[in-house]
Amino acid sequence: MYHEHPLRILRYSAKNIWLLIFPLLRGVRTIRLDADRFYQWVKGAWFDIAVIGIIIVFGYIRWYFSGIELTDNEVVRWEGITAKIKTTIPYSSVSSVTVEKPVYLMPLRAVKLSCDTSAGMYRSADMQIMVNRKFCEDFLSRVPDVNQKNKLQDIPETTPLSVLLFSLFFSSGLSGTVYIATFFMKGGDIARDIINVSLDRITQTTEKITDKLLIHIPSAAVLVGVFFIAAWIVSFLVNFLRYAGFEVDGDEYCLKIFCGLLNRREYRITPAHINYTDLRQNLIMKLSGAVAVNVSCAGYGSAKNHLPVLLPVKKEEDLGNALEKIGVFSGVRNDFRPKPNGLMSYIWQPVILSLLVFPVHIFIKRFIPEVSELSFFFAVMTEIPLIWMIAVKITAFFTSGISVYDDKIMVRCSRMTGFHTVVAERRKLVKFEIQQAVLQKISGKCSVILWFGSEERAHFKVKALRVEDVRKISEMLGYTTGTKI
């Protein structure tokens, strides 16, 4: 029997016990370094210290009455003092295992271990513990590992450049904003002072630069732009550190992935539990023939802002056939494509929005002339992504489609500004949905949504397919469409 690492006592004590550090630090900062004043501070703070002590003692009791046991066939964890909660996971049911070794835990020889199965809640590990290295080694010896004699040969090598490109293409200002907001909220006055000083400098620089431009850009707009550029840079750096040193190895029964610089991670994935593989692209990657290979497997990539990447950015022609056993295919043509007159099904939304942007600006300029300059700036900045979206959707129209071969199904489609090539076994398809609007019925078209089994709502939509083709697809997959389409 094992206990979790003693550091876990802090978790059992209180989830936010770190908040108590700040009043203590403020108290220490106000005293002088002499014995009399220190004695007076301790004398006045005895109640706070006692409360902290009680919290830690309570956490120790909960930690002591919790444990983990490794048997020949399963891992068992229990916790609770009066009411016991027992979790049992057979090794044969494990979909993925995650081992994290953050830099700050290395001196304490502690690791974070997560174990997940195809059951359970969305993005929630079935077992998440902090243990010592001895337990981790014992546990890993009982789950599938890569057999070096039978490992997959010619797996594409991951280079620093591919990790760099992956971080570049899949970083976003939104996730960077989350990081900055977290720093701002948890850093308190320090973060606030840093941001205020930075904003003052940016404002002063903006005034100097925009005075020399033909079109004066409002300072507020520049500040917003600078903020999101900074947020994207933060997201890029976080992603690069997260996936640096990416390595992948595997055989028919286990895939092993290593990545991370400051927090080294090891993943073990059971290929039989993979729901589907997903070759992701953006428009630039699409035009250059590059892809990032993702896999959908319970537990892998389920942490916040983590992507379930199997191979960072690689040329599609360089994928080879080493990973075909787990569903990574390339070069397969679409058997069923959108109908030639279905282009508007793909582009009508961004086209309408792009046509409305400048009329809205003209309306604002006429009735609220005080903000016309700011309105023009935002109109231009809104038009750019809409034009990009139109280009994406036109490309999606020419590349989307469905193929059914052997026991596999391949779906090519787009979501927002991204492209997906999804490959799954037919048995992983859990729902086949057909949508048909009135105008589509007249023109003999319909849309198909394919749902795959996973912890999340995984579905992929192909628009403007011929009705006859949809009937063929449904028959090949064993579904009945009837005569209503």
Side-chain angles (χ1 to χ4, degrees):
M1 187 190 78
Y2 293 89
H3 283 293
E4 289 190 72
H5 195 279
L7 277 177
R8 212 57 166 173
I9 294 173
L10 296 178
R11 173 183 174 273
Y12 286 119
S13 299
K15 185 177 181 181
N16 294 319
I17 194 172
W18 63 271
L19 294 173
L20 297 175
I21 295 174
F22 293 102
L24 289 174
L25 290 178
R26 285 198 297 269
V28 172
R29 188 175 58 182
T30 58
I31 66 174
R32 297 178 181 178
L33 296 177
D34 61 80
D36 183 60
R37 287 185 176 273
F38 181 75
Y39 172 75
Q40 293 296 326
W41 175 79
V42 171
K43 184 178 178 180
W46 67 269
F47 182 77
D48 294 336
I49 296 173
V51 170
I52 295 173
I54 292 172
I55 292 174
I56 293 176
V57 168
F58 178 75
Y60 174 80
I61 293 173
R62 289 194 59 190
W63 171 82
Y64 183 80
F65 283 95
S66 301
I68 315 161
E69 183 179 359
L70 298 175
T71 68
D72 293 337
N73 300 314
E74 57 195 16
V75 54
V76 182
R77 182 193 180 194
W78 65 89
E79 56 183 332
I81 302 173
T82 56
K84 292 285 186 181
I85 299 175
K86 186 177 181 181
T87 303
T88 301
I89 300 179
Y91 302 129
S92 59
S93 299
V94 173
S95 298
S96 65
V97 174
T98 304
V99 179
E100 299 183 54
K101 299 178 181 178
V103 172
Y104 62 89
L105 290 181
M106 287 184 179
L108 302 172
R109 300 184 63 82
V111 297
K112 296 180 180 179
L113 179 65
S114 300
C115 181
D116 220 319
T117 69
S118 298
M121 297 179 64
Y122 168 60
R123 290 189 178 273
S124 176
D126 295 316
M127 184 177 293
Q128 192 169 12
I129 52 181
M130 181 186 291
V131 295
N132 57 39
R133 293 183 181 179
K134 181 181 178 183
F135 174 89
C136 184
E137 292 171 358
D138 193 1
F139 177 80
L140 291 179
S141 67
R142 299 167 186 265
V143 296
D145 196 359
V146 177
N147 187 330
Q148 294 301 317
K149 295 182 179 179
N150 300 322
K151 71 175 186 177
L152 299 174
Q153 301 298 324
D154 301 324
I155 295 178
E157 183 181 356
T158 301
T159 63
L161 178 60
S162 65
V163 174
L164 181 69
L165 291 174
F166 179 82
S167 304
L168 183 70
F169 288 135
F170 293 97
S171 297
S172 70
L174 180 60
S175 58
T177 301
V178 174
Y179 298 134
I180 293 176
T182 302
F183 173 69
F184 183 81
M185 289 185 292
K186 292 192 174 183
D189 294 336
I190 297 175
R192 196 174 296 109
D193 291 341
I194 292 174
I195 292 175
N196 285 337
V197 171
S198 300
L199 290 179
D200 289 339
R201 291 180 179 176
I202 292 171
T203 302
Q204 294 172 7
T205 306
T206 298
E207 291 175 354
K208 294 178 182 179
I209 295 175
T210 55
D211 285 340
K212 298 179 182 180
L213 297 177
L214 295 176
I215 300 176
H216 182 73
I217 302 175
S219 297
V222 173
L223 289 175
V224 171
V226 170
F227 174 79
F228 278 102
I229 291 174
W232 182 88
I233 292 174
V234 169
S235 176
F236 167 77
L237 292 175
V238 170
N239 279 340
F240 184 75
L241 292 174
R242 181 179 293 153
Y243 299 107
F246 195 98
E247 300 176 23
V248 60
D249 195 9
D251 59 20
E252 192 174 353
Y253 303 102
C254 177
L255 288 173
K256 187 186 290 187
I257 297 171
F258 299 91
C259 65
L261 191 61
L262 300 179
N263 183 7
R264 193 64 177 169
R265 291 182 174 85
E266 176 186 343
Y267 299 96
R268 292 194 187 181
I269 301 172
T270 305
H273 289 212
I274 292 177
N275 301 305
Y276 57 84
T277 60
D278 183 5
L279 277 62
R280 293 186 57 184
Q281 300 169 294
N282 58 26
L283 184 57
I284 296 175
M285 293 172 68
K286 191 78 171 177
L287 297 176
S288 61
V291 297
V293 181
N294 286 15
V295 294
S296 170
C297 182
Y300 181 53
S302 59
K304 188 176 182 181
N305 295 322
H306 286 234
L307 295 173
V309 57
L310 179 63
L311 287 174
V313 176
K314 302 291 292 184
K315 281 281 190 179
E316 187 171 1
E317 61 188 21
D318 295 335
L319 291 181
N321 55 11
L323 297 175
E324 286 187 358
K325 291 184 178 180
I326 64 168
V328 180
F329 289 85
S330 61
V332 178
R333 296 183 178 181
N334 288 324
D335 293 334
F336 306 98
R337 295 176 175 273
K339 201 171 179 180
N341 63 354
L343 178 61
M344 285 306 298
S345 298
Y346 284 79
I347 66 172
W348 70 271
Q349 289 176 319
V351 166
I352 291 176
L353 290 174
S354 65
L355 293 176
L356 290 175
V357 169
F358 279 98
V360 170
H361 160 66
I362 294 172
F363 177 84
I364 293 174
K365 181 179 180 180
R366 180 175 180 180
F367 292 98
I368 317 177
E370 296 83 4
V371 296
S372 61
E373 195 172 357
L374 186 63
S375 173
F376 176 75
F377 174 79
F378 279 110
V380 173
M381 298 306 294
T382 303
E383 194 71 32
I384 292 173
L386 287 173
I387 293 175
W388 182 268
M389 181 69 79
I390 292 172
V392 168
K393 295 307 178 183
I394 291 175
T395 305
F397 169 72
F398 287 105
T399 59
S400 295
I402 297 175
S403 296
V404 181
Y405 57 97
D406 299 331
D407 63 338
K408 302 285 195 304
I409 178 170
M410 176 179 286
V411 183
R412 288 189 175 94
C413 63
S414 69
R415 281 183 179 174
M416 298 300 291
T417 58
F419 298 89
H420 298 263
T421 300
V422 177
V423 181
E425 297 178 2
R426 297 191 195 187
R427 62 186 181 87
K428 299 290 186 178
L429 183 66
V430 296
K431 185 177 179 181
F432 185 82
E433 183 177 346
I434 302 172
Q435 293 181 347
Q436 188 178 49
V438 175
L439 293 178
Q440 286 182 315
K441 193 174 185 66
I442 295 173
S443 58
K445 300 189 297 290
C446 61
S447 300
V448 171
I449 305 177
L450 298 107
W451 299 73
F452 296 96
S454 68
E455 287 187 315
E456 59 183 354
R457 293 169 58 86
H459 62 281
F460 301 90
K461 184 175 183 178
V462 182
K463 301 178 183 178
L465 291 171
R466 294 180 176 86
V467 170
E468 302 81 24
D469 289 344
V470 173
R471 288 199 177 101
K472 291 179 182 178
I473 296 170
S474 64
E475 290 174 2
M476 295 173 73
L477 297 175
Y479 290 87
T480 303
T481 60
T483 58
K484 293 186 178 181
I485 62 169

